[in-house]
Amino acid sequence: MPTPTDLQFVSDATGNAIAVIVPIELWREIESERETAHLLKSNAMRQRLLEAKGRNGGVSLEEARANLGI
């Protein structure tokens, strides 16, 4: 997990921080959290996500590939 020291700040000519560069792993985590927060705004989507989280069934990738013939 990146630490705060992994961040790089971009400053303008007067020294004001105007942007930040973050490691890609941290950026992906932030984007994932934003997407989840967006989905949770909808009651219907919240219910679907909770139901999916509780599922234990399914098939393995290998089984799905075999079923599809790939």
Side-chain angles (χ1 to χ4, degrees):
M1 179 56 138
T3 64
T5 57
D6 294 331
L7 302 178
Q8 296 179 21
F9 293 90
V10 178
S11 302
D12 64 13
T14 61
N16 295 316
I18 58 170
V20 66
I21 299 171
V22 299
I24 193 66
E25 303 90 29
L26 178 57
W27 179 250
R28 288 181 177 139
E29 182 180 327
I30 291 168
E31 282 296 299
S32 176
E33 290 175 4
R34 289 180 65 204
E35 181 178 348
T36 300
H38 174 73
L39 292 174
L40 291 175
K41 288 180 183 178
S42 160
N43 288 332
M45 187 54 73
R46 180 182 301 124
Q47 187 61 37
R48 288 182 193 145
L49 289 171
L50 290 173
E51 288 172 7
K53 183 178 178 186
R55 286 188 204 134
N56 292 325
V59 297
S60 68
L61 175 60
E62 292 77 18
E63 187 177 348
R65 291 179 70 191
N67 290 342
L68 295 171
I70 56 172

